Amino acid sequence: MLTTKDVSPTLEEYLEAIYKLERKNGAAKTSELAKMLNVALGTITNTIESMEKQNLIKHKPYKGVNLTRKGRRIAIDVIRRHRLSERLLTDILKIDWSKAHNIACKLEHAISDRDIIRRLDEVLGKPKTCPHGNPIPSEDGEILEEELEVLVDLNPGERGVITRIVYEDPELLEYLASIGLVPGVNIQVKEKAPFDGPITLKAMNRSYALGRNIASFILVKKRHVRGGR
Amino acid sequence: MLTTKDVSPTLEEYLEAIYKLERKNGAAKTSELAKMLNVALGTITNTIESMEKQNLIKHKPYKGVNLTRKGRRIAIDVIRRHRLSERLLTDILKIDWSKAHNIACKLEHAISDRDIIRRLDEVLGKPKTCPHGNPIPSEDGEILEEELEVLVDLNPGERGVITRIVYEDPELLEYLASIGLVPGVNIQVKEKAPFDGPITLKAMNRSYALGRNIASFILVKKRHVRGGR
DNA sequence: ACTTTAAATACGATTATTCGTAGTTTTTAA
DNA sequence: TTAAAAACTACGAATAATCGTATTTAAAGT
C-alpha cells in the first residue's frame, strides 16, 4: 500500500509551496520558498535538507528543489484538503472568499482523516474547484490542470473567461470581488499601455484598468471567436 | 482590552485538560494530566513550569495546578471551539458522534479566528450543547454548568434524563449509541448490584445493565416525582 | 513514629523549527 | 574575463515539546 507517511504541518506547508513553484517555474528555488513561506533563508536550507533525507524532494544546489513522487502525492493531498476547506468556509459558513484562503491554511492540517475529507467532498457536492477557481485534486491524486492563459499575456482584442485567481491574497481578492472580476466573468482585452502600464479590458459592459502585476495572477480561458486556431 | 494572548496548540490542550480536572477534583494533579494528555510525567513538570511563568496556571507542588483567570479564559475559549467543532462535524458533515470528539481535538486549534467561530455558531443555530450534551460556553466566556447527578450515584427507584456524556471516548460513545442511551432519554434506576456490580436501569421499556465505570461518565438530570424535595 | 508506596521533581538528552550572521558559490554584466 | 550582485550554504544558537531514569517528597498504613 502507498502509505503516504504523515508529515508535520510545517512540512505540509513546504510541500504545498514547492508544488506551486514547481508548476510555475519548473523548480522551487530556496529564495522563492523563503519569501513564500515567510521564513529566513537559513531555515529553508535546514528544512530542505531534512526533507531530502525523507525522500520528499530532490535538491540541486543553485537550481532549486523538485518533488519526488512521494512528496508530490502528499502535496496534492494537502492541496485537496486546502481547497475543500475553502469551499466549506465560503459555501457553508458563508465566509468571505477573500478570507477563506488564510483560514484554510490552518484547517487543511486539521482535517487529515480520510473519512472526513470524503464526507466534506460529498456535502459540498463534489466541487471541481475552490472558490477562486483553482482545481481540487481527486481523492486518488489526479489534478486537472487546464490549459489557461495568463491575463497579462492576452493581446488587445482577445476574449476570454476569468477562470482562476492564482494568488489568493486577501487584499487582492477583496479588490477583485469589489469590482466584480471573479471567475466566470467574460472579458475582452482592449489595450495594453506601454512601459508595463495597465491593461484595459471590458467586462459586463464596463471598462477596467488593471496593473500588470494583478493581471499576472488571473488565468483566463481564451475564447476563439469565428473559427479561431 | 483583555487580550488573551495566543498560546500554542499544545498549551491549549493542557489548559483544556486542566479545566476539566479542576472542575472534577478542585485541582489538576500532574499524574492525572500525564494520563489524560498521554505524555510522560516529566513532560508535564516541564510544561507546567513554563505555563506558570506565562501566568496561565498556579502550581502548588504535590497539590496540583489551578487555572489563573487568564488561563481559564483561554481554556473556556478552547472548549467553545471544541464543542462547536463537534457540532459542525455531526450536524453538517454527518460524522458519527463517536468520532467527532477526536477530530474536533485537532479542529479546535485551527478555527481560532473570532469571525469564523461566530459564523459557525450562527450557522449551527447557536447550539447550547455539544452532541454529547456538554455545554458550549458563550462568546464572552460564560459556561452554564447545570447541577446534575452522576448516574452511578442514583439510588434504585430514582428517575432522570440522560443529559451529558462526560468521557467522550469513541468506543464508549459507539456502545452507548448502539444501545440507545443518549442524551434526552428517560431512565429509572432499578437496582445496584453489590461489590461494585452493575447498575440495572430501565429506559424506553427496556432493561439495561451498565458497569459502574460507564455509569460514572453519564450525567443525568434527576426527576423528582410527586413533589420531590 | 516509622516504613513502605505512590506521586512528583530534577536532570540529561533528543528532535523539530526557527533565527541571524558570516562565508561561499554561481550568475550577470561590464 | 573579471568584478559585483545575487543566491545559497554553514554554523552557532534559541525555544518548544518530548522522552527516560534517577532522586526526592508526601501520604498512608502499621
Side-chain angles (χ1 to χ4, degrees):
Chain A
M1 198 177 85
L2 192 128
T3 20
T4 43
K5 220 180 307 174
D6 272 355
V7 298
S8 69
T10 303
L11 293 198
E12 286 190 349
E13 289 290 335
Y14 274 69
L15 289 169
E16 203 181 351
I18 293 166
Y19 179 90
K20 287 176 184 170
L21 289 171
E22 200 182 42
R23 272 274 141 200
K24 215 173 55 163
N25 311 328
K29 299 194 146 195
T30 57
S31 52
E32 294 172 321
L33 280 171
K35 210 170 291 171
M36 188 171 250
L37 296 168
N38 258 304
V39 295
L41 255 173
T43 307
I44 300 291
T45 307
N46 285 350
T47 311
I48 282 306
E49 190 189 12
S50 106
M51 288 175 84
E52 188 154 34
K53 273 197 201 116
Q54 292 171 63
N55 195 29
L56 295 169
I57 57 170
K58 208 54 182 270
H59 182 207
K60 293 201 192 90
Y62 298 97
K63 295 300 176 186
V65 301
N66 283 96
L67 296 168
T68 60
R69 176 179 289 130
K70 181 179 166 193
R72 177 168 297 106
R73 188 64 188 80
I74 298 176
I76 287 177
D77 225 71
V78 177
I79 289 170
R80 173 171 165 80
R81 274 144 44 195
H82 180 96
R83 295 185 177 159
L84 284 173
S85 297
E86 286 188 341
R87 276 276 169 221
L88 169 68
L89 291 168
T90 58
D91 295 9
I92 293 178
L93 299 184
K94 312 296 180 192
I95 302 289
D96 202 279
W97 86 328
S98 64
K99 292 184 193 158
H101 174 74
N102 286 341
I103 300 169
C105 283
K106 293 183 111 190
L107 265 187
E108 71 193 9
H109 308 297
I111 54 161
S112 45
D113 183 291
R114 284 219 179 280
D115 289 345
I116 309 312
I117 303 167
R118 200 173 299 138
R119 191 56 62 89
L120 188 53
D121 192 33
E122 282 163 13
V123 168
L124 292 168
K126 298 184 180 296
K128 292 275 177 298
T129 71
C130 84
H132 318 99
N134 300 299
I136 297 177
S138 75
E139 189 175 346
D140 41 274
E142 308 291 334
I143 179 163
L144 189 73
E145 297 274 11
E146 234 180 323
E147 277 302 317
L148 298 171
E149 312 286 324
V150 187
L151 175 53
V152 81
D153 291 340
L154 258 61
N155 293 311
E158 294 189 305
R159 296 163 183 274
V161 186
I162 292 182
T163 305
R164 300 174 55 174
I165 316 296
V166 294
Y167 179 51
E168 304 182 14
D169 172 78
E171 287 186 41
L172 171 63
L173 293 172
E174 205 172 332
Y175 171 63
L176 290 178
S178 76
I179 61 176
L181 290 185
V182 297
V185 168
N186 287 298
I187 57 104
Q188 180 176 28
V189 173
K190 288 296 180 190
E191 195 187 339
K192 288 170 84 171
F195 301 107
D196 279 334
I199 293 180
T200 308
L201 47 89
K202 199 157 185 189
M204 302 174 294
N205 280 318
R206 273 206 49 200
S207 195
Y208 299 87
L210 293 182
R212 301 243 173 162
N213 53 338
I214 290 186
S216 72
F217 298 134
I218 300 175
L219 303 192
V220 301
K221 183 182 283 176
K222 223 152 127 183
R223 283 215 323 210
H224 302 291
V225 279
R226 292 186 210 163
R229 56 187 168 105
Chain B
M1 198 177 84
L2 194 128
T3 19
T4 43
K5 222 180 305 176
D6 271 355
V7 299
S8 70
T10 303
L11 293 198
E12 287 191 348
E13 288 290 334
Y14 275 67
L15 289 170
E16 203 180 353
I18 294 166
Y19 179 91
K20 286 176 184 169
L21 290 171
E22 200 183 42
R23 271 274 142 201
K24 216 173 52 163
N25 311 327
K29 299 193 144 195
T30 58
S31 53
E32 295 172 320
L33 281 170
K35 211 170 288 171
M36 188 172 250
L37 296 168
N38 259 304
V39 297
L41 254 173
T43 307
I44 300 291
T45 308
N46 285 350
T47 311
I48 282 306
E49 192 190 12
S50 106
M51 288 175 85
E52 189 154 33
K53 272 196 203 116
Q54 292 172 65
N55 195 28
L56 296 169
I57 57 171
K58 206 56 182 270
H59 183 208
K60 293 201 191 87
Y62 298 98
K63 295 299 175 186
V65 301
N66 283 96
L67 296 168
T68 60
R69 176 180 289 132
K70 182 178 165 193
R72 177 167 298 108
R73 189 62 189 81
I74 298 177
I76 287 176
D77 224 70
V78 177
I79 289 171
R80 173 170 165 82
R81 272 142 46 192
H82 179 97
R83 294 184 179 160
L84 284 174
S85 296
E86 285 189 342
R87 276 275 169 222
L88 169 68
L89 292 167
T90 59
D91 295 8
I92 292 178
L93 299 183
K94 310 297 181 193
I95 302 290
D96 201 280
W97 86 328
S98 64
K99 291 182 193 159
H101 173 73
N102 287 341
I103 300 168
C105 284
K106 294 183 110 191
L107 266 188
E108 70 193 10
H109 309 297
I111 53 161
S112 44
D113 183 290
R114 285 220 179 279
D115 289 345
I116 309 310
I117 303 166
R118 199 173 299 138
R119 192 55 64 89
L120 188 54
D121 192 34
E122 280 163 14
V123 169
L124 292 167
K126 298 185 180 293
K128 290 275 176 300
T129 71
C130 85
H132 317 99
N134 300 298
I136 298 177
S138 75
E139 190 175 348
D140 41 272
E142 308 292 332
I143 180 164
L144 190 74
E145 296 274 10
E146 234 180 324
E147 276 302 316
L148 298 171
E149 313 285 325
V150 187
L151 175 53
V152 80
D153 291 340
L154 258 63
N155 294 312
E158 293 189 306
R159 295 163 185 276
V161 186
I162 293 181
T163 305
R164 300 174 55 173
I165 317 294
V166 293
Y167 179 50
E168 303 182 15
D169 171 78
E171 287 187 40
L172 172 63
L173 292 172
E174 204 171 334
Y175 171 64
L176 290 178
S178 76
I179 62 177
L181 291 185
V182 297
V185 168
N186 287 298
I187 57 104
Q188 180 177 27
V189 174
K190 287 298 182 188
E191 198 187 336
K192 287 168 89 170
F195 302 107
D196 279 336
I199 293 181
T200 308
L201 48 87
K202 200 158 183 186
M204 302 175 292
N205 279 319
R206 274 205 51 197
S207 193
Y208 298 87
L210 293 182
R212 301 244 172 162
N213 54 336
I214 290 185
S216 72
F217 298 134
I218 300 175
L219 302 191
V220 300
K221 183 182 283 177
K222 223 152 125 184
R223 285 221 318 218
H224 301 292
V225 280
R226 289 188 212 161
R229 58 187 167 102

